[in-house]
Amino acid sequence: MRPSPARLLNILVPVKRSIDYAVKIRVNQAQTGVETNVKHSMNPFDEIAVEEAVRLRERLKDAVKNITVVTIGPTKASEVLRTALAMGADKAIHVEIPETPGPEPLGIAKALKEVVGREKPDLVILGKQAIDDDAGQTGQMLAGLLGWSQATFASKVDVDEVKGVVTVTREVDGGLQKVECKLPTIVTTDLRLNEPRYTSLPNIMKAKKKPLEKLTPQDLNVDLTPRLETVKVTEPPKRQGGSKVESVAELVEKLKEAGVA
Amino acid sequence: MSTFNRLRPTLRATSNLSRIHSQHVVRALGGGRLASTHALVFLEHSNGVVEPASLSALAAASKLGSGDDAKITGIVIGSKDEVEKVLPTVKKLPGLSSVLHSSSALYSPPLPETLTPLFKSVLTDSKFTHFFSAHSSAAKSILPRVAAVMDLPAVSDVTSVEHSSTDDATTFTRPIYAGNAIATVRAGKDIPLKIVTVRATSFAPLSDGASAEGVEVKEFQAVEENAELTKHLETSVSTSDRPDLGTAKKVVSGGRALKNKETFQKTLEPLAEVLGAAVGASRAAVDAGYADNSLQVGQTGKIVAPELYMAIGISGAIQHLAGMKDSKMIVAINKDPDAPIFQVADVGLVGDLYDIVPELTEKLK
C-alpha cells in the first residue's frame, strides 16, 4: 500500500543566479556595484540544496512527492532553474524581477513565504548564503516568517517522514551540533552536505519539457524594494605582495624583524 | 529630558531665524530618540567566559557614540547555572551601562526557535536602536530570524560602524563577493532598530578598566515558546591544545599539498607548537579529510586576521584569501612560484614544504 498522502513530502528549493564563483569580480566605474557582464551560474550552496533534494528522493523513493525549484531574479535567472530541473527537480517557478535594484533577503523571504503558501512544501532547502551578497539570512528569515523550525549550515540531513522529523548535523563554531526539527522545516546547506552531480545531456533535454511557471512580485503581493541603501561599492584595499626569500634562514630573519618569531 | 527642556525656549521663539531652528528641533524631538542610541549586545558565552567575538561586537557598539547619549546594554542568556556563572564577568565589561539576563532550561544551548520570541519580547516597545552580535554560527542563525519576525532588514558581517545623530542613520561597511568588494550600506531612520552581526577581526575588544561602577543588572522574564519545534540532540566540540583559530595571534595553515591527515598533523603541529599558533586549513584540505571542518579558513569558513598567517601548500584561491587577507603578515610556502598566494604574501619562499617546514621549525626553536 502506498503511504497516505499526508506523509508524501513536498520539497521546495529556492535557488539564485549569481556570478560564477571562479570569476574575479570587478567594481564598476560608477561604484554602484560590480561588473555583471560576466559568467553567471547557480549559487554553489543552492546546487548543494538541489542535490540534497534529489538524493532525498533517491533514498526515500515514493515518500518524496514533488521537488519544486524557485528563483526570484531577472529574465536570465530561468537558466539556473533549467539546471536544477536537469539535476532532477520536477518543476520550476520563476518570479521575474528587473535586474536592479537587487532585492534584500527580507524581501526574498517574504516572496518565498508566499510561494510556500501556494506550494505547501514540508521541507524547504536553501543554500546557507549566496556568494554575491554573502548575507546568509534568507533561510532564517523565511523560517521566522513561517514560524517553522530551522537547521542552518547542514552537513547531514536525515528525514524520517513517518515520524515527521528531520535530524540535521550542523557545522557550528568549534564543531558539530545535531538537532531534530519537526516538519515542516527549513534547512540551509553547508559545503560538506554533498557533492552536486553533473547534468547529463539527456537530462538537460528532458529538463526543457518540465513545467516552468512564471510569476511576478505582484502575483505574490510582495514588495521587493530594498530598505537598506547601498551608498557605494568599492574595491578593497590592495594588498601588495612582498618579496620572495631564497632560504629558510632568510625567512626566519624576516619573521624576527617583524617581531612574530 | 534635560535636552528637551533646554530646547523648549527655542520652540516658542517666533523670529524667522528661530523658526528654521525650531523646525529642526521639532523634527528632532519627533523622532523621540534623536541624537541618542541604545544598543543591545548579545553576549555569547561558554564555561563562564564571554566569547571574544562578542567582545568585538561590544566594541562595534561603542562606535555609535560616547557618553550619556550612547547607551549599551549587554544581554546574557542561558540556563540558570550558565548565566550565574558568567554574570560577574559580564558586569565588569567596559562600556556597558546595563546588563539584562534571562535564563531557562530552553536557552541552553541557544536555539533560534526559542531565543527569537525572547529577543522579540526584549526588543519590542523598547528604547533599543541597535541590536549587535558577533557573526558567530549561533548568532548568524538567530539574528535574521529575529529581524524577520520584527519585519526589519539585517546587516551581516560588518567591518565598520558609523552613526550620524543628525539624521539617525547608521552607515556600515561590509565585504561582499568573498571580500573582493566592499559595500557601504546605510540604514536610515525608517529602520528604527538596526540589526547587525559584526566581523570580529575588524573590531579590537575594548580594554578593561573603563567599566562604570554600579552597572544596572536586570533579569528579563524568560519567554518559553516554540520548545516543540526543534530539539537539541548533541554538540561535539573538536578540542585542541592550540589557541582558538578565530582569535589566535598566529595561524599556521595547510592545504591540499599536505597529502593526508597524518602528514598534515606531523608537519604543521610542531611548527604551530614553537610559534604558539593555531592551526588552520584550506577548503581543499578539509574536504580531503586532512583537517576538521572547524579549521577551515575562507569565505565559508572562519575569517581570521592574525599578526602572522603562514600559508603552507595553499595555492590561494579567492575563497581562501577572503578568510585571511587582512592578516598583518602573510608568509607563503609553496613549490609553485606562480601560485596566487604569492601575490598577497609579504614573504614568500618557493620550495618543497617537506624540506622547508621541518627546517623552519628547527630554526625557530
Side-chain angles (χ1 to χ4, degrees), chain A residues 110 150 178 229 239 242 245, chain B residues 113 151 186 234 327 345 348:
Chain A
K110 286 179 179 174
Q150 69 176 62
K178 215 180 201 183
E229 180 198 347
R239 196 178 175 113
V245 292
Chain B
E113 291 84 341
D151 195 23
R186 183 175 174 278
E234 59 173 319
S327 305

Side-chain angles (χ1 to χ4, degrees), chain A residues 238-251:
Chain A
K238 281 257 181 305
R239 196 178 175 113
Q240 277 306 327
S243 54
K244 282 187 186 150
V245 292
E246 294 300 323
S247 68
V248 174
E250 267 184 78
L251 172 56

Side-chain angles (χ1 to χ4, degrees), chain A:
Chain A
M1 224 184 88
R2 290 174 64 85
S4 63
R7 300 229 171 106
L8 290 179
L9 287 171
N10 276 321
I11 304 177
L12 180 71
V13 185
V15 296
K16 182 177 187 179
R17 174 182 183 262
S18 58
I19 292 181
D20 190 83
Y21 74 96
V23 170
K24 174 102 185 70
I25 67 109
R26 261 177 228 286
V27 171
N28 65 21
Q29 284 267 298
Q31 295 201 326
T32 53
V34 303
E35 296 288 354
T36 51
N37 202 6
V38 293
K39 187 186 175 199
H40 282 65
S41 48
M42 196 191 304
N43 177 42
F45 291 101
D46 303 346
E47 269 190 307
I48 295 171
V50 175
E51 175 68 29
E52 193 63 19
V54 175
R55 287 191 192 191
L56 281 173
R57 166 143 62 201
E58 286 164 358
R59 282 208 297 273
L60 301 170
K61 309 279 186 232
D62 287 345
V64 174
K65 187 176 160 209
N66 208 315
I67 300 171
T68 306
V69 286
V70 55
T71 197
I72 298 151
T75 314
K76 280 185 179 162
S78 59
E79 292 163 13
V80 299
L81 291 176
R82 289 291 173 203
T83 308
L85 291 171
M87 286 173 75
D90 304 305
K91 64 174 180 125
I93 300 170
H94 184 182
V95 182
E96 216 174 318
I97 56 169
E99 193 95 38
T100 52
E104 284 168 359
L106 183 60
I108 297 293
K110 286 179 179 174
L112 291 175
K113 186 191 173 196
E114 297 306 315
V115 174
V116 165
R118 295 161 67 111
E119 301 297 317
K120 308 266 185 292
D122 312 275
L123 177 62
V124 183
I125 312 178
L126 306 89
K128 77 162 176 179
Q129 77 193 67
I131 59 161
D132 45 14
D133 66 13
D134 283 333
Q137 299 170 351
T138 306
Q140 298 87 307
M141 287 183 155
L142 179 60
L145 293 175
L146 292 164
W148 289 8
S149 56
Q150 69 176 62
T152 48
F153 325 135
S155 59
K156 191 166 188 289
V157 176
D158 279 315
V159 177
D160 187 331
E161 79 283 6
V162 180
K163 274 205 229 149
V165 294
V166 181
T167 308
V168 180
T169 304
R170 307 178 51 230
E171 293 198 6
V172 296
D173 295 339
L176 297 171
Q177 186 186 66
K178 215 180 201 183
V179 292
E180 186 186 271
C181 295
K182 209 167 120 180
L183 286 173
T185 193
I186 306 284
V187 170
T188 76
T189 63
D190 216 315
L191 280 172
R192 271 161 289 273
L193 181 57
N194 62 46
E195 191 79 41
R197 68 195 61 194
Y198 289 102
T199 47
S200 65
L201 189 60
N203 283 341
I204 293 171
M205 299 313 287
K206 264 189 248 163
K208 290 188 177 166
K209 296 201 187 79
K210 290 184 182 177
L212 194 157
E213 185 186 0
K214 295 249 182 198
L215 294 175
T216 64
Q218 291 75 39
D219 293 332
L220 299 174
N221 203 16
V222 287
D223 180 8
L224 292 168
T225 316
R227 286 170 62 187
L228 295 160
E229 180 198 347
T230 299
V231 180
K232 62 176 175 181
V233 174
T234 53
E235 297 268 355
K238 281 257 181 305
R239 196 178 175 113
Q240 277 306 327
S243 54
K244 282 187 186 150
V245 292
E246 294 300 323
S247 68
V248 174
E250 267 184 78
L251 172 56
V252 173
E253 205 175 298
K254 290 266 190 193
L255 290 176
K256 294 214 160 121
E257 240 171 70
V260 287

